[in-house]
Amino acid sequence: MAKQSIPELIEQARDGRPRAVARLISMVEDASPALREVAAGLAPLTGNAAVIGITGSPGVGKSTSTSALVSLLRKQGKRVGVLAVDPSSPFSGGALLGDRIRMQDHALDDGVYIRSMATRGHLGGVASATGQALRVLDAAGCDVVLIETVGVGQSEVDVVSLADTTLVLLAPGMGDGVQAAKAGILEVADVFVVNKADRDGADQVVRDLKHMISLGRREREGPSWRPEIVPTVANRADGVGDVLTAIESHRSWLTEHGELEARRRHRAEREIEAIALAALRAEMGDLRGGDTLGELAAEVAGGKTDPYAAADRLIATLRNT
């Protein structure tokens, strides 16, 4: 079988062929030499998908909630992509939770594409290749892309750089559910989802969130979105429709106030920055093979110069190469 060209792969992805989507995302994850051609081909086809980030501490029901949202979106006739960012195996680098058992109900639905991605040591709950994988699903015609992140606490704020709307899931009885919000997730959430709302303590979580939101609004000037709080019981799909309504309300607000364009511009800035930094790190790696970095390190270790001056000289070397 002849090897497919990049334009052929992109065209097949546009037609909803899962193998083509899978190959393109694999090229992204593996930093294929053809990645620049892939990115150039995808660029005119992106910008249409609504991107929803789903984050929260382990055990709050992120995968169950994601599955319930997918079911409801499919009933509305929408094509859905799911990027499930999982912890990496320390041995293979692969996603430890790759089977995604809770989402197997959608495995045979050709209107749903689910991909587990390994963090590969990348902090912030989102794999470093997730932004490019998001572009693949967007170009492949997904109406909505859900990004479910690793439950690593406050570091998950990185999801905001990718999502139009971010859902933060909490649950009663988790011990540190609202404390996580106090630690910084409060600023991340566009919608709070209090899952397992049939359990004791759910009303208290809602009250605590309302109090914190009211305190946060007092510190802000100008128009600001007031995060909505939606109780759900995801394993019964109770309240999931209300979550979608809250997402749609937030999207309308973003559009009305010009924030949707601003968020997407910020996302592009982060993408460009990440690619540029990766290129610089590669050049730094080349320098490690030579004498410059070692000589500078010896000078710093011996007290002959300071690390800032050494870094300036290193940057000057990179500029002259």
Side-chain angles (χ1 to χ4, degrees):
M1 182 176 174
K3 187 177 180 180
Q4 294 169 303
S5 69
I6 299 302
E8 287 173 336
L9 275 176
I10 292 174
E11 186 60 34
Q12 289 177 8
R14 289 288 289 171
D15 292 338
R17 296 174 67 172
R19 283 192 177 183
V21 176
R23 283 194 61 188
L24 288 170
I25 293 181
S26 293
M27 292 171 79
V28 165
E29 288 192 292
D30 298 337
S32 164
L35 188 52
R36 289 179 180 271
E37 185 182 356
V38 170
L42 293 175
L45 306 174
T46 58
N48 301 308
V51 184
I52 313 301
I54 301 174
T55 186
S57 301
V60 297
K62 292 192 297 293
S63 291
T64 304
S65 298
T66 299
S67 181
L69 283 169
V70 170
S71 296
L72 193 51
L73 287 165
R74 288 298 294 142
K75 287 179 182 177
Q76 296 177 354
K78 295 182 178 179
R79 290 181 67 184
V80 184
V82 179
L83 293 175
V85 187
D86 290 326
S88 301
S89 163
F91 303 105
S92 68
L96 286 176
L97 307 180
D99 289 339
R100 285 287 160 181
I101 295 171
R102 292 183 183 87
M103 284 189 263
Q104 289 306 299
D105 291 345
H106 309 292
L108 300 178
D109 186 345
D110 59 8
V112 179
Y113 185 88
I114 300 171
R115 176 72 172 228
S116 286
M117 300 183 69
T119 57
R120 301 184 181 184
H122 186 79
L123 298 178
V126 183
S128 55
T130 307
Q132 294 298 319
L134 169 59
R135 285 182 170 273
V136 173
L137 294 179
D138 189 358
C142 289
D143 300 299
V144 180
V145 178
L146 304 174
I147 304 174
E148 181 196 332
T149 69
V150 177
V152 294
Q154 190 175 345
S155 296
E156 289 198 342
V157 296
D158 269 13
V159 73
V160 177
S161 68
L162 297 175
D164 301 327
T165 299
T166 299
L167 311 183
V168 171
L169 270 65
L170 301 168
M174 298 301 294
D176 62 349
V178 177
Q179 282 70 22
K182 291 177 181 176
I185 293 182
L186 179 63
E187 290 79 10
V188 171
D190 298 306
V191 178
F192 284 107
V193 177
V194 180
N195 191 32
K196 306 180 183 181
D198 54 343
R199 293 187 178 181
D200 291 339
D203 292 341
Q204 185 61 49
V205 174
V206 171
R207 284 194 294 271
D208 289 347
L209 286 171
K210 286 181 177 177
H211 178 63
M212 287 191 294
I213 290 169
S214 65
L215 290 176
R217 284 177 62 84
R218 292 174 191 173
E219 300 171 0
R220 297 181 182 179
E221 296 181 0
S224 62
W225 167 257
R226 183 184 180 91
E228 297 192 23
I229 304 169
V230 184
T232 65
V233 183
N235 60 5
R236 299 201 305 251
D238 292 350
V240 179
D242 295 333
V243 174
L244 280 185
T245 299
I247 291 170
E248 290 162 3
S249 296
H250 180 246
R251 190 174 184 81
S252 296
W253 184 90
L254 289 174
T255 305
E256 180 183 347
H257 291 84
E259 284 294 317
L260 183 60
E261 182 181 349
R263 287 194 179 201
R264 293 191 168 189
R265 188 165 55 244
H266 179 65
R267 183 193 306 167
E269 288 174 357
R270 290 286 298 269
E271 253 186 303
I272 295 166
E273 182 182 30
I275 292 167
L277 287 173
L280 287 172
R281 287 192 189 101
E283 290 190 35
M284 290 279 291
D286 292 339
L287 284 177
R288 285 193 181 95
D291 299 327
T292 306
L293 188 57
E295 290 171 359
L296 289 171
E299 289 183 26
V300 172
K304 296 179 180 179
T305 189
D306 65 89
Y308 286 94
D312 288 340
R313 286 164 59 188
L314 184 63
I315 291 169
T317 303
L318 286 172
R319 286 173 176 166
N320 293 326
T321 55

